[in-house]
Structures are given as C-alpha cells and as structure tokens.
Amino acid sequence: PIKMDLLHSNGVLIIQHLQKDYRSYQDFLNFMSQVGDPRNIFLIYFPLWFQLNQVVGTKMIWVAVIGDWFNLIFKWILFGHRPYWWVQETMIYSNQSSPCLEQFPITCETGPGSPSGHAMGSSCVWYVMVTAALSYTVRWKDESTITLHRLTWSFLWSVFWIIQISVCVSRVFIATHFPHQVILGVIGGMLVAEAFEHTPAIQTASLRTYIKTNLFLFIFALGFYLLLKLIDVDLLWSVPKAKKWCANPDWINIDTTPFAGLVRNLGALFGLGLGINSEMFIMSCKGKNGYKTSFRLLCIAASLVTLQLFDFIKLPTHTEYLFYVLSFCKSAAIPLTVVALIPYCIHLLMRPTEKKL
C-alpha cells in the first residue's frame, strides 16, 4: 500500500504538471481522449475495415470485445483508483491540503482505473490495423519495394505510437487515470491483438460458436462478481466514489459502469455472428457484388452515416436492467447493420441496374 501511494502521488504530480503547462492543448487532448473511446471501434473503424477486408474487420471486433473483457476482469482484480477521487480520500496528504485536480465532462468514469480501457482498446485496434496494412507490403521482394516496405513499416508504427502516446497523455491530463494505468492498458491491448494474429479460427466461426463465446464471457464475469460478493467483496466499489467526488453530477454516466461495457461488447459480438452467418451477408458481400469497389464504397458510406444516426439514439437510464437490455440490442444492431442489412439493401438496389446493362 505504501509503494502504491507513492506511485499515485507521483502520478498526481504528473497530472498537475500536464494541467498547468499543457493547458493550451486542452482541446486537442480532450479530442484524443475521444479518439481512444472504445465505442469508435464499432462506429468508425469497423465499418471502414470490414468492407475493405472482411478478415481484418472480423478480427477487429473479436480483439475489441475480448480485450475489453480482459480489461474488466483485471479492473476487478487490481482495484485501481482514479486520480480525481484518490486525492480526496488518501491519507498521504493528511498534513497538508489535497492537490487540486481539474475535472472535465469526460473525467468522471465510474469503473476502477487500472488498466485503462481507452488505452487498451486504442492499442489493440490500431495494432490490428497497422499489422493488416503491413501484411500487404511484406510480400514485396525486389530491392526497391523492400526499401518502400521498410519506410512504410517505420511510418505506420510511428503513427501507432504517436496515437497511443497522445491517448495516454489525454487520459492522464483529464485526471481519469494515473500514468502506470495507461501504460498497462497499452501493453495489454497489444498482447491481446498479437494473440489474435495467431487465431485464424474466428474467421470461420459459426453462429453457435459466437453464442457459446458470449455465454462463456457473460457467465464467467457474472460468476466472478457473485463469488466475490459472497465473500463480502464489492466489485462495484468504485461507483459510489465516482458519484461522491465528481465535480458535476451530470458528468456521471451509467454507460461507464463495468457491466454497461460488458453488455455493450457482448451485444456487438452477437450481432457480428448473426450478420456473418446470415443469408443477407452471403448474397451480398459473398456474391459478385462483394468484389466491386463501387459496392464496397457505397456500403462504407451508408454504414458510417447510419451508425452516426444510431449514436444519436439515447437509451433510458431510469431503470438499470432495462438500460442493459436495450444497450445489448443497440450494440448487436451495429455490426448486424454493417455486415448484413446495408450490404443487402445496396445489393438489391444494384440488381435492377445490372439487369438493364
């Protein structure tokens, strides 16, 4: 505990330094924190990549879901505090006033802080995207293209680390994470993504496999929660702390609770399995239209627009269980729309044109 308090106090000094000396970059850092939001995986990155490369798009969802599930389990195990409430409750500042950390509308997350979910989600998905892009250049053999491959490798990994460092700094800046928590998140995300580089079975998984995986992830997480609750360990201990010390009660969002993230990810995985194993997907994306550039571009554009409209749908939060059920359904609808519904509709629209030609 003493060593952890020292680690936290050093982290608070870093946060104070960032909030004081990098104040002029506040808008950029807040933006980068939004870039690292795991929801962008489903709303932006997945619709783009799935139509460009279905293997990469499928892997992206699996990596995001399994990575976030591991993030939840580790958060429950590590009991990591967040800076904005730790400075208010620690006894390390008993002989002096507690440091004043500024809070922002995206500061008051309610789950435990270690490891960082934003850093983990960002690193695992960008790792998938970078390795996928480099897989196209690794086959270049002659001397000139080998040089180009090396330059591309250096450029893409530089972009990867610039984004990860920016996301990490932004999460520390807004006082929602300590530095060591974002570092753990980046490392954890890369390990999960690398593991799925060697798991080709997900590309041919049946709907039954998706359902079994969903049930396993849910039962394990719920069983772990109930087991520790039986021995008087409350895994939702962080929620009251967040509500108590958040500067503005309106900044508390049920969408940041541990179970909200679990339900959201399980819904996305189920929707992907339902879409990939549907007749609509086979007829559209696996048919001859699926290989046309115009078809793919139309699918990307329609998916991005539709999902932005999805994001405007606000779920009722007055009943927690109803929110979880609706969140699961909404999350399942996102990949189902991208994988099956939109491609099938565009496929039907293109058929009359083909007949005329």
Side-chain angles (χ1 to χ4, degrees):
I2 295 175
K3 290 182 178 179
M4 189 57 67
D5 280 343
L6 290 174
L7 187 63
H8 286 160
S9 62
N10 289 331
V12 168
L13 293 176
I14 294 174
I15 296 170
Q16 288 181 305
H17 169 68
L18 290 174
Q19 291 186 345
K20 179 182 177 182
D21 297 340
Y22 291 85
R23 184 73 185 184
S24 58
Y25 298 100
Q26 175 183 334
D27 292 338
F28 170 74
L29 292 173
N30 285 333
F31 170 74
M32 289 308 300
S33 187
Q34 299 285 358
V35 168
D37 192 332
R39 285 174 293 189
N40 287 332
I41 299 169
F42 309 110
L43 297 176
I44 299 175
Y45 304 142
F46 171 67
L48 282 170
W49 273 96
F50 187 81
Q51 296 303 333
L52 295 175
N53 188 317
Q54 292 170 10
V55 172
V56 178
T58 302
K59 186 192 300 181
M60 188 176 291
I61 293 291
W62 276 89
V63 165
V65 170
I66 300 301
D68 206 54
W69 183 83
F70 273 115
N71 182 264
L72 172 65
I73 300 300
F74 279 115
K75 278 182 175 180
W76 280 347
I77 293 173
L78 297 177
F79 281 77
H81 290 274
R82 294 185 185 270
Y84 75 92
W85 77 57
W86 181 83
V87 293
Q88 305 292 340
E89 297 189 342
T90 182
M91 300 301 295
I92 199 171
Y93 302 112
S94 57
N95 296 326
Q96 52 186 305
S97 59
S98 299
C100 181
L101 299 182
E102 185 175 357
Q103 296 183 23
F104 303 87
I106 55 177
T107 295
C108 300
E109 297 203 7
T110 57
S114 186
S116 166
H118 279 64
M120 194 165 179
S122 176
S123 66
C124 71
V125 170
W126 278 92
Y127 189 95
V128 169
M129 290 192 288
V130 169
T131 53
L134 289 175
S135 67
Y136 290 103
T137 65
V138 76
R139 288 167 277 188
W140 297 345
K141 299 296 183 182
D142 58 87
E143 187 174 342
S144 60
T145 53
I146 287 175
T147 302
L148 183 58
H149 167 71
R150 290 173 180 171
L151 290 174
T152 305
W153 187 94
S154 301
F155 172 75
L156 290 178
W157 282 116
S158 297
V159 170
F160 172 85
W161 284 112
I162 289 171
I163 291 174
Q164 302 321 310
I165 291 171
S166 299
V167 170
C168 290
V169 170
S170 71
R171 300 302 289 172
V172 174
F173 174 83
I174 64 174
T176 198
H177 284 296
F178 291 103
H180 70 277
Q181 294 174 344
V182 293
I183 293 172
L184 284 175
V186 170
I187 295 172
M190 292 176 67
L191 290 174
V192 171
E194 180 59 29
F196 274 89
E197 291 293 319
H198 310 284
T199 314
I202 60 173
Q203 302 299 333
T204 56
S206 63
L207 180 59
R208 179 177 295 182
T209 301
Y210 278 90
I211 293 174
K212 286 181 178 179
T213 304
N214 257 21
L215 288 174
F216 171 78
L217 296 178
F218 178 73
I219 292 172
F220 186 97
L222 182 62
F224 187 65
Y225 169 77
L226 294 175
L227 177 64
L228 290 186
K229 194 172 184 179
L230 285 175
I231 59 176
D232 214 20
V233 177
D234 183 15
L235 293 180
L236 301 181
W237 60 273
S238 59
V239 178
K241 291 181 182 293
K243 292 180 178 178
K244 181 179 180 180
W245 297 113
C246 184
N248 187 340
D250 293 335
W251 295 347
I252 296 290
N253 191 342
I254 190 175
D255 202 31
T256 66
T257 58
F259 278 111
L262 175 66
V263 170
R264 183 172 59 246
N265 286 300
L266 294 182
L269 188 62
F270 176 72
L272 177 66
L274 202 60
I276 282 182
N277 291 280
S278 67
E279 286 295 324
M280 289 187 291
F281 170 73
I282 295 171
M283 292 176 65
S284 56
C285 293
K286 289 297 184 182
K288 59 182 180 180
N289 279 334
Y291 300 97
K292 296 179 180 178
T293 303
S294 58
F295 174 81
R296 294 184 179 187
L297 291 176
L298 284 172
C299 287
I300 290 173
S303 297
L304 290 175
V305 172
T306 304
L307 295 189
Q308 294 310 308
L309 296 176
F310 264 48
D311 201 35
F312 283 112
I313 300 175
K314 301 302 177 185
L315 303 179
T317 58
H318 57 278
T319 305
E320 192 171 356
Y321 293 112
L322 176 62
F323 172 82
Y324 290 150
V325 172
L326 294 178
S327 180
F328 179 89
C329 296
K330 180 182 176 182
S331 299
I334 291 174
L336 182 61
T337 300
V338 173
V339 171
L341 296 178
I342 286 179
Y344 184 69
C345 290
I346 294 175
H347 166 72
L348 293 179
L349 291 173
M350 292 179 72
R351 284 176 64 184
T353 306
E354 292 173 359
K355 288 180 180 179
K356 289 179 182 179
L357 292 173

